[in-house]
Amino acid sequence: MPFNHQHVVVERGTRSGFPIVVAVHSTALGPAIGGCRLAVYGDWRDGLDDALRLSAAMTSKAALAGLPHGGGKTVVALPSAGTFDRRAVLHDVADVVEALGGVYSTGPDVGTGPDDMAVIGERTGHVFCRPSGSGDSSPATAAGVMAALRAVVQNRFGSAELAGRSFAVLGVGRVGAHLVRLLTAAGARVLASDVDGSRRTVAEAHGATWTDPLTCRTAEVDVLVPAALGGVLTATTVPALRCAAVAGPANNQLDAPATADLLHGRGILWAPDVVVSAGGIIHAIASELHHESPSQVAARITGIGDTLAGILEAARETGVTPAAAASRLAGFLAEPPAALAPV
Ligand code: PHE
């Protein structure tokens, strides 16, 4: 891929010894934002790759969400699944973020939560979602996904009604668990799975039918909802899908851009994850930075449905994939303002 990141830092954490990667993709619209991912990588270079892709996606996500920010991401590449000194790692992250001087602010992501943000906050102010700030962003992310799902079923089936529709939720973590609850409450039929079998209790408590990840991914449902790690849609998995649409909060669901064409070719509607998953950053940034009221923030999050509806409509009208329509719009929005002509 072409190198188009503004700034990438890879440092050996002074306390933990782990590779800390902070990728700042763009600050064209404003300071970069993006969460801190703590995950095991066989090779730290895979963590670097992830940070590069995820930070670029954050630029599109912020632009499409109407936020005056660019995209960034932190990845701590853990060498193994063993135990480690969490505070040491988080302080290492904080030092790297602080050294960037505000060009980038971090937040929660896969493997981190509000309490971790409080620890990072002991050493830098450039952090969102502390319990003393806007806190857990997962209810807001889930609310945004619900708005997106209504837009998807409206586009696909001609009605935004979720009652009676079927959903397969892949991943019952923080956001996935809220989704299962909201979907069953809306009268939908929900199948759920997670690689972590201990999530079964919460899924069933919220009224979902539990199954294994493969059955869930290939279930005959109206909408497949990826709510865990990325890369779930590939040239191998797409031919086995039996859903009418795919829409969920997992970041980077496509393994490669061309996979959007495979989905399109199969007549499966794919809602771009950069639009669907924006509820968390909208909630954090609108409430912490712009001091908007809860109802203003909620209105912005509901707006995700309108943005997605517009993208799906534009895709249909111009005969391109929703992915292409979203990236066209994101590119347009993230374009730095044209320089004034010299007088
Ligand atoms: N994990 C969030 C995302 O991918 C990142 C984030 C959330 C950053 C909230 C800041 C505040 O969108």
mmCIF file of all heavy atoms in Angstrom, residues 31-77:
data_model
loop_
_atom_site.group_PDB
_atom_site.id
_atom_site.type_symbol
_atom_site.label_atom_id
_atom_site.label_comp_id
_atom_site.label_asym_id
_atom_site.label_seq_id
_atom_site.Cartn_x
_atom_site.Cartn_y
_atom_site.Cartn_z
ATOM 1 N N PRO A 31 -6.987 17.555 15.084
ATOM 2 C CA PRO A 31 -6.140 16.559 15.757
ATOM 3 C C PRO A 31 -6.666 15.140 15.539
ATOM 4 O O PRO A 31 -7.876 14.922 15.442
ATOM 5 C CB PRO A 31 -6.251 16.950 17.233
ATOM 6 C CG PRO A 31 -6.765 18.344 17.249
ATOM 7 C CD PRO A 31 -7.527 18.567 15.995
ATOM 8 N N ALA A 32 -5.757 14.205 15.438
ATOM 9 C CA ALA A 32 -6.150 12.822 15.188
ATOM 10 C C ALA A 32 -6.704 12.162 16.451
ATOM 11 O O ALA A 32 -6.261 12.455 17.564
ATOM 12 C CB ALA A 32 -4.947 12.031 14.677
ATOM 13 N N ILE A 33 -7.692 11.288 16.252
ATOM 14 C CA ILE A 33 -8.241 10.501 17.352
ATOM 15 C C ILE A 33 -8.294 9.033 16.940
ATOM 16 O O ILE A 33 -8.392 8.714 15.754
ATOM 17 C CB ILE A 33 -9.667 10.951 17.751
ATOM 18 C CG1 ILE A 33 -10.556 11.079 16.503
ATOM 19 C CG2 ILE A 33 -9.630 12.242 18.534
ATOM 20 C CD1 ILE A 33 -12.019 11.289 16.825
ATOM 21 N N GLY A 34 -8.251 8.157 17.922
ATOM 22 C CA GLY A 34 -8.338 6.717 17.648
ATOM 23 C C GLY A 34 -7.934 5.943 18.887
ATOM 24 O O GLY A 34 -7.094 6.390 19.667
ATOM 25 N N GLY A 35 -8.533 4.801 19.044
ATOM 26 C CA GLY A 35 -8.362 4.041 20.276
ATOM 27 C C GLY A 35 -7.017 3.350 20.415
ATOM 28 O O GLY A 35 -6.176 3.368 19.507
ATOM 29 N N CYS A 36 -6.821 2.762 21.592
ATOM 30 C CA CYS A 36 -5.607 2.020 21.916
ATOM 31 C C CYS A 36 -5.940 0.533 21.982
ATOM 32 O O CYS A 36 -6.734 0.103 22.816
ATOM 33 C CB CYS A 36 -5.082 2.498 23.266
ATOM 34 S SG CYS A 36 -3.733 1.488 23.908
ATOM 35 N N ARG A 37 -5.362 -0.227 21.072
ATOM 36 C CA ARG A 37 -5.634 -1.661 20.985
ATOM 37 C C ARG A 37 -4.526 -2.446 21.662
ATOM 38 O O ARG A 37 -3.341 -2.217 21.399
ATOM 39 C CB ARG A 37 -5.752 -2.041 19.500
ATOM 40 C CG ARG A 37 -6.028 -3.502 19.261
ATOM 41 C CD ARG A 37 -6.464 -3.752 17.843
ATOM 42 N NE ARG A 37 -7.757 -3.129 17.545
ATOM 43 C CZ ARG A 37 -8.582 -3.555 16.592
ATOM 44 N NH1 ARG A 37 -8.245 -4.567 15.828
ATOM 45 N NH2 ARG A 37 -9.739 -2.952 16.389
ATOM 46 N N LEU A 38 -4.930 -3.366 22.521
ATOM 47 C CA LEU A 38 -3.986 -4.242 23.209
ATOM 48 C C LEU A 38 -4.265 -5.650 22.712
ATOM 49 O O LEU A 38 -5.299 -6.225 23.044
ATOM 50 C CB LEU A 38 -4.293 -4.171 24.713
ATOM 51 C CG LEU A 38 -3.175 -3.848 25.690
ATOM 52 C CD1 LEU A 38 -2.609 -2.484 25.401
ATOM 53 C CD2 LEU A 38 -3.703 -3.882 27.114
ATOM 54 N N ALA A 39 -3.389 -6.200 21.899
ATOM 55 C CA ALA A 39 -3.685 -7.517 21.344
ATOM 56 C C ALA A 39 -2.401 -8.301 21.106
ATOM 57 O O ALA A 39 -1.314 -7.708 20.988
ATOM 58 C CB ALA A 39 -4.455 -7.369 20.031
ATOM 59 N N VAL A 40 -2.537 -9.614 21.043
ATOM 60 C CA VAL A 40 -1.386 -10.481 20.810
ATOM 61 C C VAL A 40 -1.142 -10.578 19.301
ATOM 62 O O VAL A 40 -2.064 -10.798 18.528
ATOM 63 C CB VAL A 40 -1.653 -11.896 21.384
ATOM 64 C CG1 VAL A 40 -0.487 -12.827 21.058
ATOM 65 C CG2 VAL A 40 -1.882 -11.836 22.886
ATOM 66 N N TYR A 41 0.098 -10.364 18.901
ATOM 67 C CA TYR A 41 0.487 -10.507 17.492
ATOM 68 C C TYR A 41 1.682 -11.446 17.426
ATOM 69 O O TYR A 41 2.631 -11.300 18.206
ATOM 70 C CB TYR A 41 0.893 -9.154 16.900
ATOM 71 C CG TYR A 41 -0.256 -8.184 16.757
ATOM 72 C CD1 TYR A 41 -0.589 -7.313 17.782
ATOM 73 C CD2 TYR A 41 -1.023 -8.156 15.593
ATOM 74 C CE1 TYR A 41 -1.656 -6.424 17.658
ATOM 75 C CE2 TYR A 41 -2.085 -7.267 15.450
ATOM 76 C CZ TYR A 41 -2.392 -6.406 16.484
ATOM 77 O OH TYR A 41 -3.447 -5.534 16.357
ATOM 78 N N GLY A 42 1.615 -12.405 16.503
ATOM 79 C CA GLY A 42 2.716 -13.339 16.328
ATOM 80 C C GLY A 42 4.006 -12.586 16.022
ATOM 81 O O GLY A 42 5.083 -12.937 16.498
ATOM 82 N N ASP A 43 3.865 -11.532 15.234
ATOM 83 C CA ASP A 43 4.993 -10.699 14.840
ATOM 84 C C ASP A 43 4.570 -9.256 15.058
ATOM 85 O O ASP A 43 3.476 -8.861 14.639
ATOM 86 C CB ASP A 43 5.303 -10.956 13.349
ATOM 87 C CG ASP A 43 6.559 -10.257 12.875
ATOM 88 O OD1 ASP A 43 6.817 -9.100 13.291
ATOM 89 O OD2 ASP A 43 7.288 -10.856 12.078
ATOM 90 N N TRP A 44 5.411 -8.446 15.697
ATOM 91 C CA TRP A 44 5.007 -7.059 15.993
ATOM 92 C C TRP A 44 4.708 -6.284 14.714
ATOM 93 O O TRP A 44 3.924 -5.332 14.722
ATOM 94 C CB TRP A 44 6.084 -6.350 16.806
ATOM 95 C CG TRP A 44 7.357 -6.077 16.039
ATOM 96 C CD1 TRP A 44 8.438 -6.889 15.929
ATOM 97 C CD2 TRP A 44 7.627 -4.928 15.235
ATOM 98 N NE1 TRP A 44 9.372 -6.319 15.114
ATOM 99 C CE2 TRP A 44 8.906 -5.104 14.673
ATOM 100 C CE3 TRP A 44 6.920 -3.764 14.937
ATOM 101 C CZ2 TRP A 44 9.495 -4.165 13.828
ATOM 102 C CZ3 TRP A 44 7.512 -2.814 14.096
ATOM 103 C CH2 TRP A 44 8.782 -3.022 13.552
ATOM 104 N N ARG A 45 5.302 -6.726 13.580
ATOM 105 C CA ARG A 45 5.043 -6.020 12.322
ATOM 106 C C ARG A 45 3.575 -6.136 11.920
ATOM 107 O O ARG A 45 3.043 -5.274 11.225
ATOM 108 C CB ARG A 45 5.925 -6.571 11.206
ATOM 109 C CG ARG A 45 7.401 -6.246 11.382
ATOM 110 C CD ARG A 45 8.208 -6.922 10.285
ATOM 111 N NE ARG A 45 9.629 -6.878 10.521
ATOM 112 C CZ ARG A 45 10.299 -7.716 11.301
ATOM 113 N NH1 ARG A 45 9.663 -8.680 11.940
ATOM 114 N NH2 ARG A 45 11.601 -7.605 11.446
ATOM 115 N N ASP A 46 2.925 -7.231 12.337
ATOM 116 C CA ASP A 46 1.486 -7.353 12.069
ATOM 117 C C ASP A 46 0.714 -6.298 12.863
ATOM 118 O O ASP A 46 -0.310 -5.783 12.406
ATOM 119 C CB ASP A 46 0.978 -8.755 12.432
ATOM 120 C CG ASP A 46 1.659 -9.839 11.595
ATOM 121 O OD1 ASP A 46 2.111 -9.524 10.476
ATOM 122 O OD2 ASP A 46 1.741 -10.992 12.073
ATOM 123 N N GLY A 47 1.229 -5.986 14.047
ATOM 124 C CA GLY A 47 0.624 -4.921 14.854
ATOM 125 C C GLY A 47 0.795 -3.564 14.174
ATOM 126 O O GLY A 47 -0.112 -2.728 14.167
ATOM 127 N N LEU A 48 1.970 -3.361 13.588
ATOM 128 C CA LEU A 48 2.228 -2.125 12.833
ATOM 129 C C LEU A 48 1.257 -2.021 11.655
ATOM 130 O O LEU A 48 0.633 -0.982 11.432
ATOM 131 C CB LEU A 48 3.682 -2.117 12.348
ATOM 132 C CG LEU A 48 4.083 -1.001 11.372
ATOM 133 C CD1 LEU A 48 3.880 0.384 11.979
ATOM 134 C CD2 LEU A 48 5.544 -1.163 10.935
ATOM 135 N N ASP A 49 1.106 -3.122 10.915
ATOM 136 C CA ASP A 49 0.161 -3.172 9.790
ATOM 137 C C ASP A 49 -1.243 -2.790 10.235
ATOM 138 O O ASP A 49 -1.933 -2.012 9.582
ATOM 139 C CB ASP A 49 0.082 -4.604 9.245
ATOM 140 C CG ASP A 49 0.985 -4.789 8.048
ATOM 141 O OD1 ASP A 49 1.686 -3.836 7.686
ATOM 142 O OD2 ASP A 49 0.973 -5.907 7.478
ATOM 143 N N ASP A 50 -1.653 -3.394 11.349
ATOM 144 C CA ASP A 50 -2.982 -3.121 11.887
ATOM 145 C C ASP A 50 -3.125 -1.641 12.212
ATOM 146 O O ASP A 50 -4.137 -1.016 11.876
ATOM 147 C CB ASP A 50 -3.183 -3.946 13.180
ATOM 148 C CG ASP A 50 -4.346 -4.918 13.058
ATOM 149 O OD1 ASP A 50 -4.913 -5.024 11.950
ATOM 150 O OD2 ASP A 50 -4.686 -5.561 14.070
ATOM 151 N N ALA A 51 -2.112 -1.085 12.864
ATOM 152 C CA ALA A 51 -2.174 0.333 13.248
ATOM 153 C C ALA A 51 -2.282 1.220 12.008
ATOM 154 O O ALA A 51 -3.032 2.204 12.001
ATOM 155 C CB ALA A 51 -0.951 0.717 14.074
ATOM 156 N N LEU A 52 -1.566 0.857 10.949
ATOM 157 C CA LEU A 52 -1.606 1.658 9.723
ATOM 158 C C LEU A 52 -3.011 1.615 9.114
ATOM 159 O O LEU A 52 -3.586 2.650 8.751
ATOM 160 C CB LEU A 52 -0.577 1.150 8.709
ATOM 161 C CG LEU A 52 0.893 1.320 9.106
ATOM 162 C CD1 LEU A 52 1.810 0.678 8.059
ATOM 163 C CD2 LEU A 52 1.252 2.797 9.277
ATOM 164 N N ARG A 53 -3.584 0.419 9.022
ATOM 165 C CA ARG A 53 -4.909 0.283 8.403
ATOM 166 C C ARG A 53 -6.001 0.898 9.282
ATOM 167 O O ARG A 53 -6.897 1.590 8.805
ATOM 168 C CB ARG A 53 -5.226 -1.192 8.117
ATOM 169 C CG ARG A 53 -4.521 -1.695 6.854
ATOM 170 C CD ARG A 53 -4.928 -3.099 6.475
ATOM 171 N NE ARG A 53 -4.415 -4.050 7.443
ATOM 172 C CZ ARG A 53 -5.159 -4.820 8.208
ATOM 173 N NH1 ARG A 53 -6.469 -4.776 8.126
ATOM 174 N NH2 ARG A 53 -4.613 -5.654 9.050
ATOM 175 N N LEU A 54 -5.915 0.625 10.581
ATOM 176 C CA LEU A 54 -6.953 1.121 11.488
ATOM 177 C C LEU A 54 -6.930 2.642 11.604
ATOM 178 O O LEU A 54 -7.974 3.281 11.709
ATOM 179 C CB LEU A 54 -6.782 0.475 12.871
ATOM 180 C CG LEU A 54 -7.106 -1.028 12.939
ATOM 181 C CD1 LEU A 54 -6.483 -1.659 14.187
ATOM 182 C CD2 LEU A 54 -8.611 -1.264 12.922
ATOM 183 N N SER A 55 -5.734 3.241 11.571
ATOM 184 C CA SER A 55 -5.657 4.695 11.690
ATOM 185 C C SER A 55 -6.206 5.368 10.433
ATOM 186 O O SER A 55 -6.870 6.410 10.519
ATOM 187 C CB SER A 55 -4.218 5.151 11.961
ATOM 188 O OG SER A 55 -3.355 4.738 10.926
ATOM 189 N N ALA A 56 -5.962 4.773 9.271
ATOM 190 C CA ALA A 56 -6.512 5.333 8.026
ATOM 191 C C ALA A 56 -8.041 5.258 8.068
ATOM 192 O O ALA A 56 -8.738 6.197 7.656
ATOM 193 C CB ALA A 56 -5.963 4.576 6.818
ATOM 194 N N ALA A 57 -8.559 4.150 8.587
ATOM 195 C CA ALA A 57 -10.016 4.009 8.695
ATOM 196 C C ALA A 57 -10.596 5.061 9.640
ATOM 197 O O ALA A 57 -11.698 5.566 9.421
ATOM 198 C CB ALA A 57 -10.381 2.607 9.177
ATOM 199 N N MET A 58 -9.828 5.409 10.692
ATOM 200 C CA MET A 58 -10.323 6.423 11.639
ATOM 201 C C MET A 58 -10.469 7.791 10.966
ATOM 202 O O MET A 58 -11.347 8.572 11.326
ATOM 203 C CB MET A 58 -9.392 6.534 12.859
ATOM 204 C CG MET A 58 -9.428 5.370 13.822
ATOM 205 S SD MET A 58 -11.065 4.922 14.475
ATOM 206 C CE MET A 58 -11.482 6.384 15.420
ATOM 207 N N THR A 59 -9.592 8.097 9.998
ATOM 208 C CA THR A 59 -9.712 9.370 9.279
ATOM 209 C C THR A 59 -11.053 9.421 8.553
ATOM 210 O O THR A 59 -11.782 10.418 8.623
ATOM 211 C CB THR A 59 -8.550 9.532 8.269
ATOM 212 O OG1 THR A 59 -7.315 9.560 8.996
ATOM 213 C CG2 THR A 59 -8.684 10.816 7.464
ATOM 214 N N SER A 60 -11.406 8.320 7.874
ATOM 215 C CA SER A 60 -12.697 8.272 7.179
ATOM 216 C C SER A 60 -13.843 8.315 8.173
ATOM 217 O O SER A 60 -14.854 8.987 7.961
ATOM 218 C CB SER A 60 -12.823 6.978 6.366
ATOM 219 O OG SER A 60 -11.796 6.889 5.421
ATOM 220 N N LYS A 61 -13.672 7.570 9.281
ATOM 221 C CA LYS A 61 -14.748 7.499 10.280
ATOM 222 C C LYS A 61 -15.071 8.879 10.842
ATOM 223 O O LYS A 61 -16.227 9.283 10.914
ATOM 224 C CB LYS A 61 -14.327 6.544 11.411
ATOM 225 C CG LYS A 61 -15.464 6.146 12.324
ATOM 226 C CD LYS A 61 -14.993 5.360 13.531
ATOM 227 C CE LYS A 61 -14.530 3.962 13.197
ATOM 228 N NZ LYS A 61 -14.418 3.103 14.416
ATOM 229 N N ALA A 62 -14.014 9.624 11.225
ATOM 230 C CA ALA A 62 -14.229 10.953 11.803
ATOM 231 C C ALA A 62 -14.848 11.893 10.769
ATOM 232 O O ALA A 62 -15.791 12.629 11.080
ATOM 233 C CB ALA A 62 -12.907 11.514 12.323
ATOM 234 N N ALA A 63 -14.349 11.834 9.540
ATOM 235 C CA ALA A 63 -14.864 12.726 8.496
ATOM 236 C C ALA A 63 -16.338 12.431 8.215
ATOM 237 O O ALA A 63 -17.169 13.346 8.162
ATOM 238 C CB ALA A 63 -14.037 12.577 7.220
ATOM 239 N N LEU A 64 -16.676 11.144 8.082
ATOM 240 C CA LEU A 64 -18.058 10.775 7.773
ATOM 241 C C LEU A 64 -19.000 11.055 8.941
ATOM 242 O O LEU A 64 -20.201 11.194 8.756
ATOM 243 C CB LEU A 64 -18.131 9.292 7.386
ATOM 244 C CG LEU A 64 -17.516 8.954 6.016
ATOM 245 C CD1 LEU A 64 -17.317 7.453 5.868
ATOM 246 C CD2 LEU A 64 -18.391 9.495 4.889
ATOM 247 N N ALA A 65 -18.424 11.106 10.153
ATOM 248 C CA ALA A 65 -19.241 11.407 11.329
ATOM 249 C C ALA A 65 -19.377 12.917 11.534
ATOM 250 O O ALA A 65 -20.012 13.363 12.486
ATOM 251 C CB ALA A 65 -18.626 10.757 12.573
ATOM 252 N N GLY A 66 -18.739 13.682 10.661
ATOM 253 C CA GLY A 66 -18.846 15.141 10.767
ATOM 254 C C GLY A 66 -18.024 15.731 11.895
ATOM 255 O O GLY A 66 -18.323 16.818 12.384
ATOM 256 N N LEU A 67 -16.983 15.017 12.324
ATOM 257 C CA LEU A 67 -16.146 15.511 13.424
ATOM 258 C C LEU A 67 -14.902 16.202 12.868
ATOM 259 O O LEU A 67 -14.300 15.711 11.904
ATOM 260 C CB LEU A 67 -15.723 14.350 14.329
ATOM 261 C CG LEU A 67 -16.864 13.594 15.025
ATOM 262 C CD1 LEU A 67 -16.331 12.321 15.702
ATOM 263 C CD2 LEU A 67 -17.562 14.482 16.044
ATOM 264 N N PRO A 68 -14.499 17.323 13.483
ATOM 265 C CA PRO A 68 -13.321 18.049 12.990
ATOM 266 C C PRO A 68 -12.017 17.392 13.465
ATOM 267 O O PRO A 68 -11.234 17.981 14.194
ATOM 268 C CB PRO A 68 -13.504 19.448 13.596
ATOM 269 C CG PRO A 68 -14.273 19.202 14.855
ATOM 270 C CD PRO A 68 -15.137 17.991 14.625
ATOM 271 N N HIS A 69 -11.818 16.158 13.059
ATOM 272 C CA HIS A 69 -10.668 15.383 13.507
ATOM 273 C C HIS A 69 -10.129 14.495 12.395
ATOM 274 O O HIS A 69 -10.855 14.133 11.472
ATOM 275 C CB HIS A 69 -11.055 14.495 14.699
ATOM 276 C CG HIS A 69 -11.309 15.282 15.937
ATOM 277 N ND1 HIS A 69 -10.302 15.673 16.778
ATOM 278 C CD2 HIS A 69 -12.455 15.794 16.443
ATOM 279 C CE1 HIS A 69 -10.822 16.389 17.767
ATOM 280 N NE2 HIS A 69 -12.131 16.477 17.588
ATOM 281 N N GLY A 70 -8.863 14.119 12.572
ATOM 282 C CA GLY A 70 -8.262 13.130 11.693
ATOM 283 C C GLY A 70 -8.201 11.801 12.412
ATOM 284 O O GLY A 70 -8.723 11.647 13.522
ATOM 285 N N GLY A 71 -7.549 10.832 11.759
ATOM 286 C CA GLY A 71 -7.513 9.487 12.327
ATOM 287 C C GLY A 71 -6.140 9.080 12.826
ATOM 288 O O GLY A 71 -5.105 9.469 12.275
ATOM 289 N N GLY A 72 -6.138 8.306 13.903
ATOM 290 C CA GLY A 72 -4.912 7.724 14.435
ATOM 291 C C GLY A 72 -5.250 6.413 15.115
ATOM 292 O O GLY A 72 -6.420 6.040 15.201
ATOM 293 N N LYS A 73 -4.274 5.698 15.558
ATOM 294 C CA LYS A 73 -4.523 4.461 16.310
ATOM 295 C C LYS A 73 -3.268 4.066 17.061
ATOM 296 O O LYS A 73 -2.150 4.296 16.589
ATOM 297 C CB LYS A 73 -4.886 3.310 15.365
ATOM 298 C CG LYS A 73 -5.733 2.225 16.010
ATOM 299 C CD LYS A 73 -7.191 2.655 16.054
ATOM 300 C CE LYS A 73 -8.131 1.576 16.493
ATOM 301 N NZ LYS A 73 -9.535 1.970 16.261
ATOM 302 N N THR A 74 -3.468 3.490 18.238
ATOM 303 C CA THR A 74 -2.359 2.926 18.995
ATOM 304 C C THR A 74 -2.516 1.414 19.015
ATOM 305 O O THR A 74 -3.617 0.912 19.243
ATOM 306 C CB THR A 74 -2.380 3.442 20.450
ATOM 307 O OG1 THR A 74 -2.234 4.855 20.435
ATOM 308 C CG2 THR A 74 -1.246 2.822 21.261
ATOM 309 N N VAL A 75 -1.442 0.706 18.761
ATOM 310 C CA VAL A 75 -1.455 -0.747 18.906
ATOM 311 C C VAL A 75 -0.290 -1.152 19.804
ATOM 312 O O VAL A 75 0.853 -0.764 19.560
ATOM 313 C CB VAL A 75 -1.333 -1.468 17.547
ATOM 314 C CG1 VAL A 75 -1.090 -2.964 17.741
ATOM 315 C CG2 VAL A 75 -2.593 -1.268 16.709
ATOM 316 N N VAL A 76 -0.599 -1.880 20.860
ATOM 317 C CA VAL A 76 0.459 -2.501 21.659
ATOM 318 C C VAL A 76 0.501 -3.957 21.228
ATOM 319 O O VAL A 76 -0.472 -4.699 21.397
ATOM 320 C CB VAL A 76 0.174 -2.413 23.168
ATOM 321 C CG1 VAL A 76 1.299 -3.082 23.957
ATOM 322 C CG2 VAL A 76 0.018 -0.966 23.605
ATOM 323 N N ALA A 77 1.612 -4.345 20.615
ATOM 324 C CA ALA A 77 1.733 -5.711 20.111
ATOM 325 C C ALA A 77 2.254 -6.614 21.218
ATOM 326 O O ALA A 77 3.460 -6.678 21.479
ATOM 327 C CB ALA A 77 2.661 -5.725 18.901
#
